């Protein structure tokens, strides 16, 4: 499989409070409200801890909710700090002082703000009879530990939400990767079936059998047997093509040689095949069945349409920048400019290259030649296959 399909977990989108689902943000704020409700229930059920015999529900609500509501308002800032100084990775202990400092600052902001709201909204008579300073001092006494625990709870909540978010993104990446891999496999199967269909279509079989008939009529029995043998080898090769997206160039050329052997007997002296393959390119991986449709087009629309001898040149070389160039050049009348002239084979090949390599690969058609057409495949160079390679066919 191409490296382009390898998922990159480092590409996980960064955290943003605004990017969280609205329901998730509402649930976070609702959690602080639940804490306010719990504190309200405790105050109603145990009013003696507040120094009064009885606390009505409405008094308890306005007396406790402001405290936790301010923590809810601070949550986006705490989440941003938790993402900036993460405690779930290597060297987390070096970021603990940053959280202690940030927690201290938030507590210093939260206490006066929350206690100010608490004093302004608290209807209890004993609170209203006190001065603001005395009431805040009494309510804030011993609250530091609770404040730090609230900050720690907000940190834990962030990591729970963020880990769930990252897991969800990984699952989406895995599903997207599986879908693309399945699409590539389907395209490879389609290419194999298309190659087999091209090899057994009536036109191809008619030409091949006609070639065999002519050889038999001329008593060239050995040549006739060779053509039939190559036809069988070609069909078997198409059926036994390994279920891989890419193969070494040497293997691609070896299969192409079977097809060219048949065509040489059909065209006889009219076809000359030249292989200009750089030896260092034989191990480079290329899309399976990428050359045969180009050669078929060159023979059908090029060599077959001109009288007299023609030359088919198949080449490969490495560019200075590292790209692999595969070329198929015929000396026919030239490639037509009509829409759709490229045919299904070229369209399928372009689609496969786009899936495998994106913009790093492409197909170019050079029509401005003195004679014929040159089709060039530009491919990124992959590591050579880790096995012995066959030599390029002569």
């Amino acid at each position: 499989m191409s490296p382009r399909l390898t998922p990159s977990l480092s590409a996980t989108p960064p955290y943003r409070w605004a990017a969280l689902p609205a329901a998730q943000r509402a649930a976070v704020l609702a959690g602080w409200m639940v804490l306010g409700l719990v504190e309200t229930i405790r105050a109603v059920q145990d009013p003696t801890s507040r120094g009064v015999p009885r606390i009505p529900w409405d008094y308890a609500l306005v007396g406790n909710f402001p405290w936790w509501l301010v923590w809810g308002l601070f949550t986006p800032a705490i989440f941003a700090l938790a993402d900036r100084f993460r405690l779930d990775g290597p060297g987390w202990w070096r970021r603990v002082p940053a959280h202690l400092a940030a927690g201290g600052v938030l507590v210093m902001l939260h206490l006066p703000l929350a206690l100010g709201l608490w004093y302004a909204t608290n209807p209890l008579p004993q609170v209203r009879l006190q001065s603001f300073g005395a009431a805040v001092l009494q309510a804030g006494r011993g609250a530091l530990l609770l404040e730090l625990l609230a900050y720690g709870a907000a940190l834990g909540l962030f990591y729970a939400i963020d880990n769930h978010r990252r897991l969800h993104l990984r699952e989406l990446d895995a599903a997207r990767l599986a879908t693309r891999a399945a699409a590539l496999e389907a395209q490879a199967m389609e290419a194999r079936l298309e190659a087999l269909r091209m090899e057994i279509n009536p036109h191809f079989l008619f030409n091949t059998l006609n070639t065999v008939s002519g050889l038999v009529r001329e008593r060239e029995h050995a040549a006739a047997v060779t053509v039939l043998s190559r036809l069988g080898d070609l069909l078997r090769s198409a059926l036994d093509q390994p279920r891989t997206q890419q193969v070494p160039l040497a293997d691609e050329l070896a299969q192409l040689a079977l097809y060219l052997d048949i065509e040489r007997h059909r065209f006889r002296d009219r076809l000359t095949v030249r292989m200009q393959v750089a030896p260092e390119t034989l191990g480079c991986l290329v899309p399976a069945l990428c050359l045969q449709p180009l050669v078929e087009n060159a023979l059908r629309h090029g060599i077959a349409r001109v009288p007299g001898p023609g030359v088919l040149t198949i080449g490969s070389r490495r560019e200075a920048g590292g790209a692999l160039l595969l070329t198929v050049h015929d000396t026919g009348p030239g490639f037509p400019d009509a829409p759709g002239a490229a045919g299904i084979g070229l369209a399928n090949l372009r689609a496969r290259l786009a899936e495998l390599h994106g913009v790093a690969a492409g197909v170019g058609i050079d029509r401005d030649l003195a004679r014929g057409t040159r089709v060039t495949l530009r491919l990124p160079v992959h590591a050579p296959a880790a096995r012995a390679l066959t030599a390029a066919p002569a």
Side-chain angles (χ1 to χ4, degrees):
M1 188 177 293
S2 168
R4 181 171 178 262
L5 296 179
T6 303
S8 174
L9 298 183
S10 63
T12 303
Y15 156 80
R16 284 190 304 111
W17 171 262
L20 295 179
Q24 203 168 73
R25 284 177 285 163
V28 170
L29 297 179
W32 293 110
M33 298 301 179
V34 169
L35 291 177
L37 181 60
V38 170
E39 190 71 14
T40 297
I41 294 173
R42 191 168 70 89
V44 171
Q45 292 181 344
D46 186 20
T48 55
S49 63
R50 310 298 174 98
V52 293
R54 178 177 174 273
I55 300 178
W57 274 96
D58 53 347
Y59 282 24
L61 282 172
V62 297
N64 289 284
F65 259 71
W67 187 282
W68 300 103
L69 178 62
V70 174
W71 276 117
L73 297 177
F74 280 6
T75 298
I78 297 174
F79 278 19
L81 288 169
D83 185 60
R84 175 65 180 84
F85 304 101
R86 300 193 69 91
L87 299 176
D88 58 350
W92 61 269
W93 52 272
R94 290 194 296 266
R95 293 181 283 274
V96 170
H99 281 288
L100 292 177
V105 171
L106 287 179
V107 167
M108 292 174 61
L109 292 175
H110 177 265
L111 273 175
L113 182 58
L115 291 174
L117 287 173
W118 170 81
Y119 181 82
T121 59
N122 198 308
L124 293 178
Q126 68 271 26
V127 173
R128 306 307 302 163
L129 292 176
Q130 300 179 75
S131 66
F132 173 76
V136 166
L137 183 62
Q138 180 180 353
R141 190 176 301 155
L144 181 59
L145 179 61
L146 180 62
E147 294 284 275
L148 293 177
L149 288 176
Y151 180 80
L155 288 180
L157 183 61
F158 166 79
Y159 290 115
I161 292 175
D162 193 60
N163 287 336
H164 178 270
R165 179 181 72 96
R166 289 173 178 265
L167 178 61
H168 179 62
L169 291 175
R170 285 178 174 87
E171 291 173 348
L172 289 179
D173 285 342
R176 193 178 300 115
L177 195 65
T179 301
R180 294 182 62 191
L184 284 175
E185 184 62 34
Q187 287 185 354
M189 176 64 73
E190 182 182 349
R192 289 193 293 270
L193 294 176
E194 177 66 14
L196 182 58
R197 187 188 68 81
M198 292 296 295
E199 287 147 10
I200 64 175
N201 68 49
H203 180 75
F204 175 81
L205 284 179
F206 174 79
N207 288 334
T208 303
L209 295 177
N210 190 48
T211 300
V212 173
S213 177
L215 292 172
V216 171
R217 191 179 301 113
E218 297 173 7
R219 299 183 182 278
E220 297 183 24
H221 300 127
V225 171
T226 299
V227 173
L228 290 175
S229 175
R230 291 294 181 267
L231 177 62
D233 291 341
L234 184 59
L235 297 177
R236 188 182 306 110
S237 175
L239 289 172
D240 294 341
Q241 181 74 24
R243 296 174 64 86
T244 55
Q245 293 296 332
Q246 301 191 92
V247 297
L249 177 59
D251 291 357
E252 180 75 5
L253 293 174
Q255 182 173 0
L256 185 62
L258 299 174
Y259 175 79
L260 288 174
D261 276 350
I262 297 175
E263 296 299 322
R264 281 194 187 94
H265 285 89
R266 181 163 74 91
F267 284 92
R268 303 219 177 196
D269 295 338
R270 292 184 54 214
L271 175 61
T272 299
V273 178
R274 295 175 180 170
M275 305 297 295
Q276 298 178 348
V277 178
E280 66 271 13
T281 64
L282 291 175
C284 296
L285 297 179
V286 300
L289 301 174
C290 65
L291 288 177
Q292 186 167 325
L294 303 182
V295 171
E296 288 173 354
N297 279 344
L299 294 178
R300 178 182 299 179
H301 302 294
I303 305 299
R305 295 193 176 187
V306 294
V311 178
L312 176 67
T313 304
I314 300 170
S316 69
R317 63 184 177 88
R318 292 277 297 271
E319 270 191 329
L324 173 66
L325 297 183
L326 304 179
T327 58
V328 176
H329 179 207
D330 66 81
T331 56
F335 204 85
D337 292 323
I344 297 176
L346 273 178
N348 287 345
L349 181 57
R350 282 194 172 101
R352 291 180 63 207
L353 292 180
E355 286 293 335
L356 281 169
H357 306 298
V359 297
V363 181
I365 302 176
D366 189 0
R367 301 178 176 89
D368 298 328
L369 302 175
R371 187 179 179 188
T373 302
R374 180 188 297 113
V375 180
T376 302
L377 297 186
R378 181 184 298 273
L379 304 170
V381 176
H382 286 180
R387 62 180 178 82
L389 299 174
T390 58

